[in-house]
Amino acid sequence: MDQIKIGKFIAACRKEQGMTQAVLAEKLGISDRAVSKWETGKSLPDTGIMLELCGLLSINDNELVSCERIVTETYNKKAEENLLAMRQEIEEKNKLMLNLEIVIGAPATIAGLALCAVAAYIEMPTWLRAGLITFAVIMIIAVAFIAVGIEQKAGYYECQICHDRHIPTYWQTNLAPHIGRKRYMKCPACGKRSYQKKVLEGPDLNNL
Ligand SMILES: [Zn+2]
């Protein structure tokens, strides 16, 4: 048995119970130095004291003896939590990016259309009119390219046939006909074409 692991387990359980080493020692009628020695892996609790110790730590003796298993379980749970947090972070970031697409795209489109309206309805020299319209069109196209870049990087596209989730290349995304954020593209998994839905959640991270 790994004494250090057991020591750490005892320390963790003690803290969970809100006890100091001194308090635990006092309850067991031993010195706090002895508790400190267990927790640093320098010694193991006597078998005679085991049952009482387990009671105070709210664990059964089986759990103490097999604390390695429990430590592993705790570790797995932690890893699972980390994975979940990571996934949430990615989704959060993707959501922000998609909002950014609207924040950048909408005003630029409106400004561009407004410029065209000004050029069309207000008296001005032809060169200025042409200049304004050219500027507006270039701006709208440039922003559209940026927006598609954001959309391509944020989240995934889901095939409507096999439900595979994947990230297409920039040009695949840009050249695909779309309705809103749904894009008509070929699925890399099943090879069929469908209007692929934008989703924030990716393929199962466990399978990566
Ligand atoms: Zn597919």
Side-chain angles (χ1 to χ4, degrees):
M1 257 190 293
D2 187 336
Q3 248 170 256
I4 291 177
K5 240 183 224 174
I6 293 176
K8 281 183 180 161
F9 179 61
I10 293 174
C13 294
R14 173 180 59 73
K15 283 171 195 159
E16 246 178 58
Q17 298 302 316
M19 282 186 280
T20 61
Q21 288 185 344
V23 169
L24 180 62
E26 202 195 303
K27 287 189 176 174
L28 290 167
I30 54 168
S31 70
D32 39 352
R33 230 181 96 74
V35 175
S36 165
K37 273 171 128 183
W38 304 338
E39 293 190 356
T40 49
K42 290 193 185 101
S43 70
L44 284 170
D46 285 341
T47 41
I49 218 169
M50 208 63 118
L51 218 63
E52 209 183 339
L53 173 64
C54 289
L56 287 169
L57 296 178
S58 287
I59 52 177
N60 60 45
D61 49 349
N62 203 16
E63 276 177 312
L64 185 59
V65 175
S66 60
C67 82
E68 282 186 58
R69 175 178 61 85
I70 292 164
V71 167
T72 310
E73 268 169 24
T74 314
Y75 174 79
N76 285 343
K77 200 168 155 243
K78 195 77 208 147
E80 237 166 64
E81 281 169 7
N82 287 344
L83 203 64
L84 194 72
M86 193 167 97
R87 186 191 286 247
Q88 275 166 349
E89 202 175 292
I90 292 172
E91 269 174 48
E92 227 22 69
K93 192 198 78 195
N94 287 338
K95 225 184 271 174
L96 271 178
M97 279 172 78
L98 286 179
N99 287 339
L100 183 68
E101 184 191 13
I102 296 169
V103 168
I104 294 174
T109 308
I110 292 167
L113 293 176
L115 271 183
C116 288
V118 166
Y121 294 111
I122 291 173
E123 280 293 316
M124 63 180 74
T126 310
W127 64 266
L128 184 58
R129 197 189 301 276
L132 278 182
I133 291 173
T134 309
F135 176 76
V137 168
I138 289 173
M139 182 176 72
I140 290 175
I141 291 174
V143 168
F145 271 68
I146 294 168
V148 169
I150 292 173
E151 195 179 308
Q152 178 238 342
K153 284 191 194 74
Y156 305 81
Y157 285 93
E158 187 186 86
C159 168
Q160 292 307 285
I161 295 151
C162 73
H163 299 288
D164 174 64
R165 290 182 174 189
H166 58 97
I167 301 175
T169 66
Y170 178 78
W171 284 107
Q172 257 177 331
T173 314
N174 205 351
L175 297 175
H178 66 107
I179 304 172
R181 279 186 178 138
K182 279 189 182 178
R183 287 181 183 268
Y184 191 72
M185 289 183 291
K186 192 172 163 183
C187 165
C190 69
K192 296 196 179 93
R193 286 175 183 278
S194 66
Y195 270 98
Q196 300 185 9
K197 205 167 61 182
K198 182 96 230 173
V199 288
L200 288 181
E201 207 181 304
D204 204 342
L205 283 177
N206 296 318
N207 298 336
L208 288 183

